[in-house]
Structures are given as structure tokens and as C-alpha cells.
Amino acid sequence: MAGFLSMLRRTYLAVYNWVVFFGWAQVLFLAVKTLKESGHEHVYSAVEKPLQLAQTAAILEILHSLVGLVRSPITATLPQISSRLYLTWIILHSFPEVQTHFLVSSLTISWSITEIIRYSFFGMKEAFGATPSFLLWLRYSTFLVMYPIGISSEVGLIYLALPHIKVSEKFCIRMPNKWNFSFDNFYIAFIALGIYVPGSPHMYRYMLSQRKKALSKSKRE
């Protein structure tokens, strides 16, 4: 029974990783193609649907971590996925004013390169029990460049959206209301920016430690 459950788990995770891999591959292809042919102003409209699908699928990774399907700690998984969902739906999808900015291109390309490598790495690991050494190196090295680009793009897009959030009051709840509750998305955006200050260095140090462990282990093997 244990062997069957293990095989079922690996099959599910392999399928999940490869499906999302192809989603991010589509995002990268469309982003680069559109950037080359039409310019950065049209990148978001080209990648919107596959980007939303691929990024929203990552919600399952929170569940995977919670139920123990994977070893990734929820403390690392939850903040990263939450921030990306916030960018995908609350910022990019909701405020067309920022959709034509060049930071959308740097965001989608850095995200997709990172995720193509990550999902193919785990897809091969679950499907075959091992990964090529070059893919292991890419998995734990490309973030050195892609993470700062992605984080800078995320912060920049939230900042650019601030005046539009304030004027539109989108997602805001004002009192009085039957719930006796108020919510201001403008201040939530400020809080999100504030979280990046300690959160980004913390995540970068965490990934550096993971890189050191993974690459030193591969050398011993």
C-alpha cells in the first residue's frame, strides 16, 4: 500500500510540474515574441491568460506543502506565491494603466525563466528520480540574476499602481456598512511594499543557503 501511495504521489507531482512547465514556456515564448515584434507595450495583452493560469496554479503548492506532499517549508512557499498572486491579479489584471510599462516585460520574462527551470527540475526528479547536473546548477544559480530582476519589477509595478489604486478606490470597502468593516487597498499596497524590504533579503539568503546545500551535495555524489 505504501508503495502504491508513493507512486501515486510521484505521478501526480510529475504531471503537475510538467503541466505548469508548459504554461510558463508559453508565457516566455509569447513575451519574447511580442517584445521583438510589437514592443513592450503589448506584452501583457499577449501573455495575460497563460500568465494568470500558470501563476494561479501555484496555489496548489501551498496545499502540497501543508499536507506534506513536498518538503518545501510553508514559511518560504506562502510569501512568495502570495506576492506573485497579488501582482498577477490585484496589480496587473486590475489596473490597465500599468500593463504597458516595460517592467511587465522584465517581470514576465524573469518569472517564466525561473519557473521553466524550476518546474522542469522537479518534473524530472519526480518522473525519473534524478535530474541532469546542468539542470541542478540552473535551478540553484539562475535566481542570482533572475530574483533581483523579478523583485525590482514587482516593487516597481506596485509603486506605479499606487496613484491609480488611490483614485479608483478599487477593492476598497468604506464605512458605514452592514459588516462595520473598512478596507483600503491603497494602504495594503504600501504594506506590501514595506514587506519587500525585510522579506526580499531574507528570501535571497534562504535561496543562497539552499544553493550551497544542493551544490555541495551534488559534488559529494
PDB file of all heavy atoms in Angstrom, residues 13-27:
ATOM      1  N   LEU A  13       2.684  14.607  -8.824  1.00  0.00           N
ATOM      2  CA  LEU A  13       3.612  15.735  -8.809  1.00  0.00           C
ATOM      3  C   LEU A  13       4.327  15.901 -10.152  1.00  0.00           C
ATOM      4  O   LEU A  13       4.598  17.028 -10.585  1.00  0.00           O
ATOM      5  CB  LEU A  13       4.629  15.565  -7.681  1.00  0.00           C
ATOM      6  CG  LEU A  13       4.085  15.745  -6.259  1.00  0.00           C
ATOM      7  CD1 LEU A  13       5.155  15.430  -5.228  1.00  0.00           C
ATOM      8  CD2 LEU A  13       3.558  17.171  -6.056  1.00  0.00           C
ATOM      9  N   ALA A  14       4.628  14.769 -10.806  1.00  0.00           N
ATOM     10  CA  ALA A  14       5.262  14.849 -12.121  1.00  0.00           C
ATOM     11  C   ALA A  14       4.325  15.509 -13.125  1.00  0.00           C
ATOM     12  O   ALA A  14       4.719  16.411 -13.882  1.00  0.00           O
ATOM     13  CB  ALA A  14       5.665  13.455 -12.602  1.00  0.00           C
ATOM     14  N   VAL A  15       3.079  15.081 -13.153  1.00  0.00           N
ATOM     15  CA  VAL A  15       2.092  15.658 -14.069  1.00  0.00           C
ATOM     16  C   VAL A  15       1.889  17.141 -13.764  1.00  0.00           C
ATOM     17  O   VAL A  15       1.882  17.979 -14.672  1.00  0.00           O
ATOM     18  CB  VAL A  15       0.748  14.900 -13.980  1.00  0.00           C
ATOM     19  CG1 VAL A  15      -0.339  15.633 -14.750  1.00  0.00           C
ATOM     20  CG2 VAL A  15       0.902  13.480 -14.509  1.00  0.00           C
ATOM     21  N   TYR A  16       1.734  17.458 -12.489  1.00  0.00           N
ATOM     22  CA  TYR A  16       1.533  18.855 -12.089  1.00  0.00           C
ATOM     23  C   TYR A  16       2.701  19.718 -12.565  1.00  0.00           C
ATOM     24  O   TYR A  16       2.499  20.787 -13.179  1.00  0.00           O
ATOM     25  CB  TYR A  16       1.406  18.961 -10.568  1.00  0.00           C
ATOM     26  CG  TYR A  16       1.511  20.381 -10.065  1.00  0.00           C
ATOM     27  CD1 TYR A  16       0.424  21.250 -10.148  1.00  0.00           C
ATOM     28  CD2 TYR A  16       2.710  20.866  -9.527  1.00  0.00           C
ATOM     29  CE1 TYR A  16       0.530  22.566  -9.711  1.00  0.00           C
ATOM     30  CE2 TYR A  16       2.807  22.177  -9.086  1.00  0.00           C
ATOM     31  CZ  TYR A  16       1.724  23.018  -9.174  1.00  0.00           C
ATOM     32  OH  TYR A  16       1.830  24.311  -8.752  1.00  0.00           O
ATOM     33  N   ASN A  17       3.921  19.295 -12.289  1.00  0.00           N
ATOM     34  CA  ASN A  17       5.092  20.098 -12.650  1.00  0.00           C
ATOM     35  C   ASN A  17       5.232  20.275 -14.157  1.00  0.00           C
ATOM     36  O   ASN A  17       5.568  21.374 -14.621  1.00  0.00           O
ATOM     37  CB  ASN A  17       6.360  19.463 -12.069  1.00  0.00           C
ATOM     38  CG  ASN A  17       6.542  19.794 -10.598  1.00  0.00           C
ATOM     39  OD1 ASN A  17       6.854  20.920 -10.235  1.00  0.00           O
ATOM     40  ND2 ASN A  17       6.322  18.821  -9.732  1.00  0.00           N
ATOM     41  N   TRP A  18       4.978  19.230 -14.925  1.00  0.00           N
ATOM     42  CA  TRP A  18       5.126  19.347 -16.370  1.00  0.00           C
ATOM     43  C   TRP A  18       4.022  20.170 -17.002  1.00  0.00           C
ATOM     44  O   TRP A  18       4.255  20.918 -17.960  1.00  0.00           O
ATOM     45  CB  TRP A  18       5.217  17.968 -17.026  1.00  0.00           C
ATOM     46  CG  TRP A  18       6.556  17.335 -16.817  1.00  0.00           C
ATOM     47  CD1 TRP A  18       6.837  16.208 -16.118  1.00  0.00           C
ATOM     48  CD2 TRP A  18       7.817  17.814 -17.316  1.00  0.00           C
ATOM     49  NE1 TRP A  18       8.191  15.948 -16.135  1.00  0.00           N
ATOM     50  CE2 TRP A  18       8.816  16.912 -16.862  1.00  0.00           C
ATOM     51  CE3 TRP A  18       8.200  18.907 -18.086  1.00  0.00           C
ATOM     52  CZ2 TRP A  18      10.162  17.095 -17.166  1.00  0.00           C
ATOM     53  CZ3 TRP A  18       9.551  19.079 -18.382  1.00  0.00           C
ATOM     54  CH2 TRP A  18      10.511  18.177 -17.926  1.00  0.00           C
ATOM     55  N   VAL A  19       2.811  20.084 -16.471  1.00  0.00           N
ATOM     56  CA  VAL A  19       1.718  20.907 -16.990  1.00  0.00           C
ATOM     57  C   VAL A  19       2.015  22.391 -16.771  1.00  0.00           C
ATOM     58  O   VAL A  19       1.877  23.220 -17.685  1.00  0.00           O
ATOM     59  CB  VAL A  19       0.374  20.523 -16.329  1.00  0.00           C
ATOM     60  CG1 VAL A  19      -0.695  21.580 -16.627  1.00  0.00           C
ATOM     61  CG2 VAL A  19      -0.096  19.162 -16.828  1.00  0.00           C
ATOM     62  N   VAL A  20       2.452  22.736 -15.559  1.00  0.00           N
ATOM     63  CA  VAL A  20       2.751  24.138 -15.268  1.00  0.00           C
ATOM     64  C   VAL A  20       4.004  24.590 -16.024  1.00  0.00           C
ATOM     65  O   VAL A  20       4.104  25.745 -16.445  1.00  0.00           O
ATOM     66  CB  VAL A  20       2.898  24.375 -13.750  1.00  0.00           C
ATOM     67  CG1 VAL A  20       3.097  25.860 -13.459  1.00  0.00           C
ATOM     68  CG2 VAL A  20       1.666  23.873 -13.007  1.00  0.00           C
ATOM     69  N   PHE A  21       4.948  23.673 -16.216  1.00  0.00           N
ATOM     70  CA  PHE A  21       6.135  23.979 -17.034  1.00  0.00           C
ATOM     71  C   PHE A  21       5.721  24.461 -18.423  1.00  0.00           C
ATOM     72  O   PHE A  21       6.226  25.487 -18.910  1.00  0.00           O
ATOM     73  CB  PHE A  21       7.019  22.733 -17.150  1.00  0.00           C
ATOM     74  CG  PHE A  21       8.009  22.788 -18.284  1.00  0.00           C
ATOM     75  CD1 PHE A  21       9.217  23.441 -18.141  1.00  0.00           C
ATOM     76  CD2 PHE A  21       7.722  22.190 -19.510  1.00  0.00           C
ATOM     77  CE1 PHE A  21      10.136  23.500 -19.191  1.00  0.00           C
ATOM     78  CE2 PHE A  21       8.630  22.246 -20.562  1.00  0.00           C
ATOM     79  CZ  PHE A  21       9.835  22.905 -20.402  1.00  0.00           C
ATOM     80  N   PHE A  22       4.815  23.739 -19.061  1.00  0.00           N
ATOM     81  CA  PHE A  22       4.384  24.125 -20.409  1.00  0.00           C
ATOM     82  C   PHE A  22       3.628  25.450 -20.379  1.00  0.00           C
ATOM     83  O   PHE A  22       3.699  26.231 -21.340  1.00  0.00           O
ATOM     84  CB  PHE A  22       3.525  23.021 -21.032  1.00  0.00           C
ATOM     85  CG  PHE A  22       4.339  21.852 -21.515  1.00  0.00           C
ATOM     86  CD1 PHE A  22       4.236  20.616 -20.894  1.00  0.00           C
ATOM     87  CD2 PHE A  22       5.225  21.988 -22.572  1.00  0.00           C
ATOM     88  CE1 PHE A  22       4.999  19.533 -21.324  1.00  0.00           C
ATOM     89  CE2 PHE A  22       5.996  20.914 -23.014  1.00  0.00           C
ATOM     90  CZ  PHE A  22       5.883  19.683 -22.380  1.00  0.00           C
ATOM     91  N   GLY A  23       2.927  25.722 -19.285  1.00  0.00           N
ATOM     92  CA  GLY A  23       2.266  27.014 -19.152  1.00  0.00           C
ATOM     93  C   GLY A  23       3.262  28.161 -19.132  1.00  0.00           C
ATOM     94  O   GLY A  23       3.090  29.172 -19.837  1.00  0.00           O
ATOM     95  N   TRP A  24       4.318  28.004 -18.348  1.00  0.00           N
ATOM     96  CA  TRP A  24       5.337  29.052 -18.275  1.00  0.00           C
ATOM     97  C   TRP A  24       6.153  29.146 -19.568  1.00  0.00           C
ATOM     98  O   TRP A  24       6.607  30.238 -19.944  1.00  0.00           O
ATOM     99  CB  TRP A  24       6.254  28.819 -17.087  1.00  0.00           C
ATOM    100  CG  TRP A  24       5.644  29.260 -15.805  1.00  0.00           C
ATOM    101  CD1 TRP A  24       5.200  28.479 -14.776  1.00  0.00           C
ATOM    102  CD2 TRP A  24       5.381  30.611 -15.404  1.00  0.00           C
ATOM    103  NE1 TRP A  24       4.684  29.246 -13.768  1.00  0.00           N
ATOM    104  CE2 TRP A  24       4.780  30.549 -14.119  1.00  0.00           C
ATOM    105  CE3 TRP A  24       5.595  31.857 -15.995  1.00  0.00           C
ATOM    106  CZ2 TRP A  24       4.387  31.704 -13.435  1.00  0.00           C
ATOM    107  CZ3 TRP A  24       5.208  33.001 -15.309  1.00  0.00           C
ATOM    108  CH2 TRP A  24       4.617  32.916 -14.049  1.00  0.00           C
ATOM    109  N   ALA A  25       6.336  28.020 -20.248  1.00  0.00           N
ATOM    110  CA  ALA A  25       7.032  28.044 -21.539  1.00  0.00           C
ATOM    111  C   ALA A  25       6.243  28.879 -22.548  1.00  0.00           C
ATOM    112  O   ALA A  25       6.823  29.625 -23.347  1.00  0.00           O
ATOM    113  CB  ALA A  25       7.227  26.622 -22.052  1.00  0.00           C
ATOM    114  N   GLN A  26       4.931  28.766 -22.489  1.00  0.00           N
ATOM    115  CA  GLN A  26       4.075  29.567 -23.360  1.00  0.00           C
ATOM    116  C   GLN A  26       4.193  31.054 -23.015  1.00  0.00           C
ATOM    117  O   GLN A  26       4.257  31.900 -23.910  1.00  0.00           O
ATOM    118  CB  GLN A  26       2.621  29.115 -23.248  1.00  0.00           C
ATOM    119  CG  GLN A  26       1.688  29.842 -24.212  1.00  0.00           C
ATOM    120  CD  GLN A  26       0.243  29.409 -24.074  1.00  0.00           C
ATOM    121  OE1 GLN A  26      -0.124  28.701 -23.137  1.00  0.00           O
ATOM    122  NE2 GLN A  26      -0.591  29.828 -25.002  1.00  0.00           N
ATOM    123  N   VAL A  27       4.238  31.359 -21.734  1.00  0.00           N
ATOM    124  CA  VAL A  27       4.394  32.748 -21.299  1.00  0.00           C
ATOM    125  C   VAL A  27       5.694  33.334 -21.840  1.00  0.00           C
ATOM    126  O   VAL A  27       5.713  34.438 -22.400  1.00  0.00           O
ATOM    127  CB  VAL A  27       4.364  32.860 -19.760  1.00  0.00           C
ATOM    128  CG1 VAL A  27       4.728  34.281 -19.319  1.00  0.00           C
ATOM    129  CG2 VAL A  27       2.998  32.477 -19.217  1.00  0.00           C
TER     130      VAL A  27
END
